[in-house]
Amino acid sequence: MKNISARDKKHLWHPLTQHKLHPDTIAITRAKGALLYDEEGREYIDGIASWYTCMYGHCHPYIAEAAHRQMTQLDQVVFSGFTHEPAVRLSEALMEILPENQQKLFFSDNGSTASDVAIKMALQYHFNQGRKRDVLVAFEEGFHGDTFGAMSVSGLSVYNGPFSDFFLNVERIPVPDGNNNREVAGKFERILRAGNVAGFIYEPLVQGAAAMKMHDAEGLNTLIGLCRKYDVIAIADEVMTGFGKTGRNFASEYMDHLPDIISMSKALTAGMVPMALTSCTREVYDAFYSDDIGKGLFHGHTYSANPVACTVALSGIELLKSGEMQENIRRVSASHRRFDEDIRKHPKVARTRQLGVIYAMDLEVSTERYGGLRDKLFRFFMEKGVYLRPLGNTIYILAPYVVTDEQLQKVYEVIKAALDELL
Ligand SMILES: *Cc1c(COP(=O)(O)O)cnc(C)c1O
């Protein structure tokens, strides 16, 4: 039998891939903690926690055992009209860590659908109260997913180009960076004054797909405050930032004004199975609570609140809350800070930034060079046993919280070697 990578080419179509330019894949056969192993037995440190999902480590036995128990107890049941213990326990656990104004939880399957649910909640919140509000506001370089609603509010044109004629009505504002806060707030308020804005969707403080671009908490707080003033629904997309990555359970905790809606996925289920949640305030929920059936939220996925996924999420939250995991988060954050003191002075480093365990550096390279550079960096890192996915001219680290100090040192050394040897 041919190896896995070779057999892959016959029928599989990979996400976010131009197969003509990138025909090859690496077959991963197992994972443990912060490590991935390929079919040839090579190991890689998972420097991006497989897209920020398996933050407590791959194949965590505590989660795997809970999932197995649940699989033999109740696998799947319709969540309209039925409920179950894993969903109820998960809701209770989330209420303890979500910002206090979040009171209701709606299930879906991935970050994109969590965004779509949030957008539908915001639009119907106004519709149910007899207001026509058909505009959404989003950040210029935001990313909220690949379904049509989520894509509409995302600002990264390489993904969205062919579909832009079919998008929702969206106005865009720049992120507040600490210097432009007044301008951004001014532009935002001019848009809100028109009176037709239903909601504002944003990735709080860190924009993952925009290469871990970070913005100003004070500035964002002002924008959320303006949403209050104009009865506009503030939607925090915490799909990337949620569950401890920023040093707090949710990035929204860095602001005084709280969002009306929060979307969650990725680390919600610790990298084990897909699931997503959209949480909202009692006030949002109440706009749908009516004798009129048509005012309900008629959105639903077949696998809503899958019991195994709920169990996995619950176990993940238990791990997150443990003293050991909180200590890991502090340890990794402090380690990045020490690395940064050194590396930010490197002549090939233009700028660095960090929030919690999220660390990013922009490289000092001319735009002509950077086309092929991303692939060269990726190959260099992989040859040295570190899985990182540079974005444009940005290298970022978002390793599982359980990454060891030795593994972190190796990640730093490999990055430094790339700066010295490749640039
Ligand atoms: C990944 C991501 C999404 C989309 O989630 P999927 O599970 O890939 O659909 C949405 N928003 C943010 C901020 C993300 O990082």
Side-chain angles (χ1 to χ4, degrees):
M1 193 168 13
K2 280 194 215 150
N3 66 38
I4 304 167
S5 300
R7 278 154 53 219
D8 168 280
K9 285 201 175 74
K10 197 161 179 201
H11 298 297
L12 295 177
W13 188 344
H14 289 263
L16 307 172
T17 301
Q18 172 48 270
H19 279 274
K20 188 159 186 196
L21 298 178
H22 295 100
D24 297 322
T25 50
I26 296 164
I28 301 298
T29 51
R30 68 195 173 89
K32 189 81 208 151
L35 293 174
L36 300 168
Y37 300 87
D38 74 11
E39 64 178 325
E40 277 152 27
R42 278 189 298 255
E43 65 174 55
Y44 308 92
I45 299 167
D46 188 351
I48 65 163
S50 291
W51 271 337
Y52 349 126
T53 54
C54 51
M55 299 309 295
Y56 320 117
H58 283 280
C59 300
H60 199 294
Y62 182 73
I63 302 178
E65 280 157 25
H68 180 256
R69 270 196 305 278
Q70 186 58 44
M71 280 172 173
T72 58
Q73 168 87 28
L74 173 66
D75 50 356
Q76 164 70 5
V77 70
V78 170
F79 203 60
S80 303
F82 290 121
T83 190
H84 48 73
E85 180 80 10
V88 174
R89 284 186 62 196
L90 175 60
S91 71
E92 290 161 355
L94 274 165
M95 286 306 134
E96 284 178 31
I97 59 167
L98 276 167
E100 64 204 6
N101 69 339
Q102 300 299 302
Q103 289 297 319
K104 289 283 176 177
L105 300 171
F106 193 95
F107 285 93
S108 63
D109 301 336
N110 57 68
S112 307
T113 54
S115 299
D116 272 20
V117 168
I119 290 166
K120 283 169 113 175
M121 279 181 181
L123 293 170
Q124 195 179 340
Y125 168 84
H126 295 288
F127 180 89
N128 279 357
Q129 298 176 81
R131 288 193 292 269
K132 183 168 163 45
R133 296 215 184 178
D134 56 1
V135 173
L136 296 158
V137 182
F139 282 140
E140 275 160 8
E141 294 179 277
F143 177 73
H144 302 288
D146 290 340
T147 51
F148 266 87
M151 202 169 39
S152 294
V153 286
S154 299
L156 297 166
S157 56
V158 292
Y159 303 148
N160 295 344
F163 313 108
S164 54
D165 287 348
F166 309 97
F167 283 177
L168 302 170
N169 200 351
V170 180
E171 299 265 5
R172 293 186 194 286
I173 56 171
V175 293
D177 62 13
N179 298 315
N180 66 356
N181 287 9
R182 282 176 59 144
E183 274 164 63
V184 173
K187 177 167 185 188
F188 190 51
E189 188 158 17
R190 277 194 297 283
I191 296 169
L192 300 190
R193 252 193 233 118
N196 57 354
V197 175
F200 166 47
I201 184 165
Y202 56 92
E203 292 161 272
L205 302 186
V206 189
Q207 296 179 295
M212 302 297 155
K213 199 172 165 189
M214 296 182 188
H215 55 266
D216 184 55
E218 190 73 40
L220 179 58
N221 190 48
T222 304
L223 302 181
I224 305 168
L226 285 167
C227 289
R228 279 296 91 66
K229 183 171 165 194
Y230 291 90
D231 195 15
V232 164
I233 298 294
I235 304 167
D237 178 348
E238 295 245 20
V239 169
M240 195 284 285
T241 49
F243 303 96
K245 297 182 194 102
T246 64
R248 310 224 178 140
N249 288 333
F250 294 93
S252 291
E253 292 169 41
Y254 283 93
M255 275 67 66
D256 293 330
H257 291 300
L258 296 176
D260 302 287
I261 294 177
I262 298 180
S263 53
M264 292 158 256
S265 189
K266 293 199 166 117
L268 167 68
T269 39
M272 195 70 81
V273 291
M275 189 171 74
L277 275 169
T278 306
S279 69
C280 70
T281 60
R282 170 67 63 174
E283 193 195 347
V284 170
Y285 177 79
D286 282 348
F288 294 74
Y289 190 79
S290 166
D291 292 322
D292 179 356
I293 191 168
K295 287 195 172 171
L297 180 59
F298 279 86
H299 182 111
H301 297 280
T302 307
Y303 277 99
S304 291
N306 171 261
V308 179
C310 288
T311 300
V312 163
L314 180 64
S315 305
I317 292 169
E318 286 167 359
L319 291 176
L320 173 66
K321 285 168 65 179
S322 70
E324 192 186 336
M325 206 57 73
Q326 290 297 316
E327 179 48 34
N328 278 329
I329 292 173
R330 283 190 291 274
R331 175 180 58 85
V332 174
S333 306
S335 172
H336 288 343
R337 271 195 299 280
R338 283 193 298 276
F339 171 60
D340 183 61
E341 277 170 26
D342 229 23
I343 204 73
R344 69 167 177 241
K345 297 176 206 136
H346 194 287
K348 299 295 178 197
V349 174
R351 212 164 309 98
T352 65
R353 52 193 171 272
Q354 182 186 354
L355 188 63
V357 306
I358 307 169
Y359 181 80
M361 63 171 71
D362 296 337
L363 305 180
E364 191 71 76
V365 277
S366 59
T367 20
E368 311 88 74
R369 290 208 45 206
Y370 104 29
L373 180 65
R374 190 225 154 262
D375 291 353
K376 253 203 285 182
L377 283 169
F378 176 75
R379 276 196 300 272
F380 182 90
F381 294 144
M382 289 299 279
E383 274 161 23
K384 302 248 182 310
V386 174
Y387 173 44
L388 293 170
R389 276 179 67 99
L391 284 164
N393 64 337
T394 303
I395 298 172
Y396 72 91
I397 310 170
L398 216 177
Y401 304 139
V402 296
V403 68
T404 66
D405 289 332
E406 296 74 49
Q407 289 166 340
L408 272 178
Q409 288 314 315
K410 178 165 180 191
V411 173
Y412 300 150
E413 275 158 30
V414 167
I415 291 175
K416 186 154 184 310
L419 298 179
D420 292 338
E421 292 170 37
L422 279 190
L423 294 173

